[in-house]
Amino acid sequence: MTTSLPWLDADDPFPPTDLTWDHDSPAPGLLAAGATLEVWRLKAAYANGIFPWFSQGQPILWWSPDPRMVLHVDEFRLHRSLRKTIKRFRTLPSCEVRIDSDFSAVINACSSAPRHAQNGTWIVPAMIEAYEQLHDAGVAHSVETWVDGVLVGGLYCIGIGRAVFGESMFSHASDASKVALAALVSLCRAQGVRMIDCQQNTGHLASLGAREISREVFLRQVQEARMHDALEWNFKPVYWDQLLLSLPSE
């Protein structure tokens, strides 16, 4: 059982991901601690299947779990009720999907969203500041659900080439976060993205079609996807057809 944890100074590279703590350790998937949340560091982390996750008062903790939870975009579960919601949503002038319209509002809403069986949030002020800088650098993006000019739900994610890494969602109206996720899946399907990283297994993600794959397979797919040109981060209403005409209702 691995109990020592590498401490990273500001310029240190990440250790190999096969050195993460194993399933017999206190924190399976934990790779290292320390370093910074600068843009270059976060880009290097995601490009190598690593992400930060820590609570207020803790040092920066870096993770690369095995197995990895991912959503293959052709396996998204379009439940009958969500299909009905999307069909109605796309026909109403008052309803729209926006991308990167208000990233700051999205990440702040995600930081205050209640989490099942969790107290507090891992989206601490240092993380918000870092990801807003990552957004300014064109790497972090928000997918937003708007109704009557009000932001009612959304998510934020990381995009490197055609590698997409989901981070967090929030909802202030019924199905608003699911609409945002469905929009991201539609955009990904339209632009040749095969999967969205979901990091860790939750029942909610599994209900939407996400499943676990080995870290080895995940990293291989990330390495291939990130070599492509960046996505066009804009949502076209015709993208809804990628779901409504392609996926059966469940």
Side-chain angles (χ1 to χ4, degrees), residues 7-241:
W7 181 266
L8 304 179
D9 291 327
D11 297 323
D12 288 342
F14 288 110
T17 54
D18 58 7
L19 296 181
T20 55
W21 284 7
D22 60 26
H23 289 280
D24 294 325
S25 71
L30 183 58
L31 177 64
T36 67
L37 293 172
E38 294 178 82
V39 167
W40 71 267
R41 170 72 73 177
L42 288 169
K43 289 175 65 176
Y46 282 95
N48 289 282
I50 301 164
F51 60 88
W53 185 37
F54 60 98
S55 299
Q56 191 71 30
Q58 291 181 326
I60 300 170
L61 300 175
W62 301 95
W63 303 77
S64 184
D66 186 17
R68 189 82 166 219
M69 192 73 162
V70 302
L71 175 60
H72 292 91
V73 298
D74 59 353
E75 296 178 7
F76 180 68
R77 288 182 182 166
L78 185 59
H79 296 290
R80 196 174 304 276
S81 60
L82 182 58
R83 177 187 288 272
K84 183 177 180 180
T85 295
I86 292 172
K87 282 185 172 181
R88 182 173 183 274
F89 185 94
R90 73 180 302 189
T91 63
L92 296 176
S94 59
C95 298
E96 60 181 321
V97 171
R98 301 180 190 175
I99 292 184
D100 293 334
S101 173
D102 197 340
F103 181 89
S104 181
V106 170
I107 192 171
N108 276 279
C110 288
S111 74
S112 60
R115 307 294 175 191
H116 178 67
Q118 292 184 25
N119 294 319
T121 180
W122 57 269
I123 310 175
V124 297
M127 289 278 277
I128 293 174
E129 180 181 0
Y131 280 75
E132 286 180 339
Q133 292 175 1
L134 202 60
H135 170 67
D136 291 341
V139 180
H141 302 277
S142 57
V143 182
E144 307 157 7
T145 305
W146 289 77
V147 177
D148 292 324
V150 177
L151 176 65
V152 296
L155 61 84
Y156 72 99
C157 59
I158 307 300
I160 303 177
R162 286 195 175 93
V164 177
F165 308 85
E167 280 295 318
S168 187
M169 300 188 294
F170 82 96
S171 185
H172 290 161
S174 179
D175 284 342
S177 61
K178 290 181 182 178
V179 169
L181 178 59
L184 177 60
V185 168
S186 300
L187 182 150
C188 288
R189 286 171 62 94
Q191 298 193 37
V193 174
R194 295 173 57 192
M195 71 177 186
I196 300 168
D197 176 36
C198 301
Q199 298 180 350
Q200 301 190 67
N201 195 338
T202 70
H204 176 65
L205 291 169
S207 73
L208 295 172
R211 59 180 171 90
E212 292 180 332
I213 61 175
S214 72
R215 182 172 58 213
E216 179 183 2
V217 170
F218 171 75
L219 292 176
R220 185 164 62 243
Q221 294 187 13
V222 167
Q223 297 308 313
E224 192 277 332
R226 70 185 180 90
M227 300 306 294
H228 291 273
D229 292 338
L231 297 180
E232 294 182 13
W233 285 94
N234 60 78
F235 185 81
K236 301 175 182 179
V238 70
Y239 287 169
W240 285 128
D241 292 340

